[in-house]
Amino acid sequence: MKALGIALALALAACGGPERQLRPSELRIEEELMWGERHLRAGEWRLAEREFLRALAIAERSDEVASRVDALLNLAAVYAATGRGHEARRRLDEALAVARGARYVRGEVVALGALASEDLRGGDAARARARLEEALAIARRAGERRLEARRLADLGVVSRAAGDDAAAERHYRGALAIQEDVGDDEGRAATLAHLARLAIARGRPQDAAPLLADALALHRAREDVSAIGADLEALGDAARARGEHDAGLASYDRALAVWRRLGDAPAAARVLRAQAAMLRVRGDEAGAKDREARATAAEREAAKTPSGGPMPPR
């Protein structure tokens, strides 16, 4: 299951707020976070972790509470993306406690969303929904419309997991309206992709292609590699559902290249099995068996190096 719209693609500074003169320690932290976020979008997990750990150390020494929360949230993003769920949750629990103690609203809302993602990943949809509803209420009280939209989109994910596609679409549409109003291109890209996958699931693959084209353009502009891979895979799914095998195989090939670059063996195996099914429908049994063998090899690799998959925005 794809992760929620938990924060984990990261630019809290984009949420706004009055400008002020930054202290030297804050400037150093911002620089570390900037480089870490760049590595994160590129799927360079170890480099991202290094930068975020540096930012956290500076924030702790200088007692920069908001920066400490941001560094913890970013570290959790890395750990969630690389299958280290226990470590991700530990960092998120700490971020939430620090944010609440400092009354750092944005940090609190983002941490709640990220914890909801971990809850859903662990099968506790009720707890995930409760966290998101709490986060949504906080964001609305504070007038944080960008974060309000992202938590609405997260509620759409929870509704889909519960089989309530109508509620999911309602949440996604509500989120998209706010994102278009406030100019949140990062959040809008993720919500468009959610709507596209929902259209495919509901038997409307023809509606998915334009949504995915817009999402892909926005993700490419941000150089968000894992999101690009997810969009390309979804384009393959849409083409497959429409019976357009050549287009589907081509999109899957491009997605496969991304997943291999990121070392995401589970995603690579998933795409290879989808290609095998398409080739079998076309009567290419030899090609189908080749893809299945490669998928099995990728699944063996996945057992050794688990991945959390692509990360939606906070």
Side-chain angles (χ1 to χ4, degrees):
M1 178 184 297
K2 301 256 188 324
L4 272 160
I6 69 180
L8 304 166
L10 309 167
L12 282 176
C15 292
E19 292 186 3
R20 62 179 177 82
Q21 189 70 33
L22 295 178
R23 292 188 289 272
S25 59
E26 290 179 290
L27 289 171
R28 286 189 61 198
I29 294 166
E30 288 299 317
E31 183 178 6
E32 298 292 353
L33 290 175
M34 178 191 72
W35 281 107
E37 289 162 14
R38 185 172 296 180
H39 291 310
L40 189 61
R41 288 194 295 271
E44 297 164 349
W45 315 123
R46 290 182 181 177
L47 293 174
E49 181 181 8
R50 183 189 67 188
E51 300 296 341
F52 295 145
L53 284 170
R54 286 175 176 171
L56 179 61
I58 298 168
E60 288 176 339
R61 287 198 303 270
S62 55
D63 198 28
E64 301 287 355
V65 175
S67 296
R68 178 184 171 192
V69 172
D70 293 350
L72 287 165
L73 292 169
N74 279 289
L75 276 171
V78 174
Y79 298 142
T82 51
R84 290 178 279 176
H86 178 75
E87 184 64 16
R89 185 175 287 275
R90 185 175 75 83
R91 296 293 189 175
L92 290 171
D93 285 337
E94 182 181 355
L96 181 60
V98 174
R100 280 183 165 160
R103 297 185 180 180
Y104 177 33
V105 170
R106 284 175 289 171
E108 184 178 4
V109 172
V110 170
L112 284 166
L115 283 163
S117 179
E118 292 301 311
D119 291 335
L120 190 60
R121 197 193 304 273
D124 193 345
R127 191 176 188 190
R129 183 180 295 278
R131 287 195 201 270
L132 291 173
E133 288 174 348
E134 179 185 0
L136 188 61
I138 294 169
R140 284 173 170 164
R141 284 198 302 270
E144 291 278 3
R145 298 191 70 215
R146 190 174 301 230
L147 291 175
E148 175 189 352
R150 295 190 181 191
R151 298 297 77 82
L152 273 174
D154 291 348
L155 281 169
V157 176
V158 173
S159 296
R160 274 209 71 191
D164 191 346
D165 287 349
E169 183 162 7
R170 185 170 64 252
H171 289 312
Y172 292 150
R173 295 287 179 190
L176 187 61
I178 296 172
Q179 287 159 347
E180 289 174 343
D181 187 44
V182 302
D184 181 8
D185 285 345
E186 182 188 8
R188 184 162 66 94
T191 304
L192 288 166
H194 282 312
L195 282 166
R197 294 186 188 97
L198 180 59
I200 296 168
R202 301 185 83 177
R204 305 194 314 268
Q206 70 280 359
D207 296 340
L211 296 169
L212 287 167
D214 288 346
L216 184 58
L218 290 165
H219 285 137
R220 280 178 168 156
R222 287 182 51 79
E223 299 181 344
D224 192 337
V225 179
S226 61
I228 290 167
D231 292 342
L232 290 168
E233 184 177 344
L235 280 168
D237 293 340
R240 178 183 176 189
R242 295 193 303 268
E244 298 173 4
H245 295 162
D246 288 342
L249 288 168
S251 291
Y252 283 145
D253 277 339
R254 291 194 290 272
L256 187 59
V258 174
W259 298 141
R260 284 174 170 164
R261 172 183 168 184
L262 295 179
D264 193 334
R270 184 175 60 241
V271 169
L272 285 164
R273 293 210 179 275
Q275 286 186 316
M278 292 182 75
L279 289 167
R280 186 160 283 119
V281 169
R282 295 177 61 174
D284 185 352
E285 188 63 27
K289 287 183 177 178
D290 171 70
R291 298 300 198 284
E292 286 175 344
R294 289 159 61 189
T296 299
E299 286 163 352
R300 291 196 188 103
E301 181 64 22
K304 294 184 288 184
T305 55
S307 170
M311 299 175 299
R314 293 190 292 185

